[in-house]
Amino acid sequence: MKILVIGNGGREHALVWKLSQDASRPNLYCAPGNAGTAALAENLPIGAEDVPALVAWAKENQPDLVVVGPEAPLCLGITDALEAEGLKVFGPCEAAARLEGSKAFSKDVMEKAGVPTARFRVYTDSATAIDELEDFGFPVVIKADGLAAGKGVVIAQTREEAESAIHDMLDDGRFGAAGAEVVIEEFLEGEEASVFALCDGEHVVLLPPAQDHKRVFDNDEGPNTGGMGAYTSAPIATYEVMRFTKEEIVLPVLRELKSRGIVYKGVLFCGLMIGRKGINVLEFNCRFGDPETEVVVPSIASDLVPILMACADGTLSDDLVSLRTESATTVVMASPGYPGAYAKGAEITGLEAAEAAGCLVFHAGTTLKDGKVVTSGGRVLTVTAFGKDLRDAVARAYEGVNCIHFEGAHYRRDIAAKAFKYL
Ligand code: AMP
Ligand code: GLY
């Protein structure tokens, strides 16, 4: 069995790690991978967005399955291109990936499917957008339609901030084509949760709910990041929230897409806001979340290959997915300066000690240099631990973090603290 995983972050290391445990003992390839995946897979020197080169490699090497990590290649249609060559892929086709690739499309699907989401309107013209701002109240949320590397959402506290964000996107081309349309929507209050729905076009299996920590500093202060830590299960996502997510969100979306001739296979990441206005969808992503994957995927007890294959084949069922009962926490260690400009090339020590302490250390931004593991990204490592309960998992993850050193490393000290008030 040969499997190609596309991507180079902590998410992909966690997927490669889980696949490496599979009873089928697959030969793993990761494009382009990082120093962590290099220990478990053969890293290929092909970028995750170089669709023609990835397809050429797959055509020649005939993997039994291709697992696509990030959204960019999915939105570029890599699934369609691989399937056209007769290959099997975990990840939605280009038309289905628009649920992440176009916020206007995603909102339209939600509206037609009756999925609760923030009240919104789509604009291409700044004067009209500014004219209608009052309808949403303040704060107001302004979103570039297309992919903007996590930077396309502005929460404007005042009219001035909102106008400036609208001008940036619609008049000054801040995000290029991705910002040629904007979605303006009402601000929702509450707590966020990430729910991953495995989909085979028709059947849906939810994985345990997780919570990300997007701000860089403790107590949700400072600028947004790709995510500074995560834990599962998130108590905010109660049994009723999970039931609602499957029955009233994911299944209606799959049916709505099907009515448009689009089959959704892969994972549908539901970014939920749970609060006074009930359960609302903030966004869909067409892929696993990072760093949520670093807690959710290790929480799967069963083999991953049959699950991913079933998603591709249309044979997904609950009995393929059994879960570990412990809680899991992951803490992201970041480079000095992240999420702004950051240093690279710092040597990382203590990785073995963290593993000896029982942690899974997933590499997010690392590379090998002269046989040493050095930093190469903003988010460098995610340190995952299981525990008998969440407090135990948190304590164990920080034990691992304390073993690891690189110059200027920073991390949040309050991962999962939000959950404690429910426990
Ligand atoms: P998105 O890329 O749509 O997930 O937005 C990124 C982040 O912006 C979300 O994770 C939320 O923290 C925040 N956000 C997006 N939409 C809203 C909204 N309607 N109300 C409040 N916060 C939002
Ligand atoms: N952790 C949020 C994301 O992957 O988009």
Side-chain angles (χ1 to χ4, degrees), residues 232-233 298-301 322-328 386-390:
T232 187
S233 285
S299 296
I300 301 174
S322 62
L323 299 169
R324 292 177 64 161
T325 52
E326 307 103 300
S327 297
F386 282 90
K388 62 181 189 311
D389 56 28
L390 201 52

Side-chain angles (χ1 to χ4, degrees), residues 103 141 143 153 155 185-188 192 214 282-283:
K103 293 191 190 286
V141 186
K143 300 182 172 185
V153 175
I155 298 179
E185 66 182 35
E186 72 177 319
F187 178 80
L188 295 173
E192 287 180 55
K214 289 216 164 90
L282 285 185
E283 62 163 347

Side-chain angles (χ1 to χ4, degrees), residues 333-392:
M333 299 182 74
S335 291
Y338 177 78
Y342 53 82
K344 288 185 194 182
E347 186 181 346
I348 305 170
T349 58
L351 294 168
E352 297 77 15
E355 280 167 3
C359 291
L360 293 164
V361 182
F362 297 121
H363 294 222
T366 68
T367 189
L368 287 168
K369 196 177 162 207
D370 308 326
K372 290 178 177 156
V373 180
V374 303
T375 63
S376 68
R379 291 190 292 176
V380 175
L381 299 167
T382 76
V383 182
T384 298
F386 282 90
K388 62 181 189 311
D389 56 28
L390 201 52
R391 283 183 201 279
D392 188 35

Side-chain angles (χ1 to χ4, degrees), residues 25 40 48 52 54 62 72 80 107 116 121 125 140 173 182 207 221 345 352 359-360 417 421:
R25 296 277 158 216
L40 302 166
L54 291 165
Q62 293 292 313
D80 312 67
K107 283 293 213 178
R121 227 168 287 153
D125 154 61
V140 63
V182 304
L207 294 175
E221 283 170 20
E352 297 77 15
C359 291
L360 293 164
K421 65 178 179 286

Side-chain angles (χ1 to χ4, degrees), residues 19 47 56 66 94 105 117-118 126 132 162 168 175 193 212 225 298 336 351 366 390 394 405:
L19 292 167
V66 179
E94 182 178 359
F105 174 79
T117 185
S126 61
E132 296 185 5
D168 267 1
F175 299 107
D212 188 6
T225 68
L351 294 168
T366 68
L390 201 52
V394 169
H405 299 280

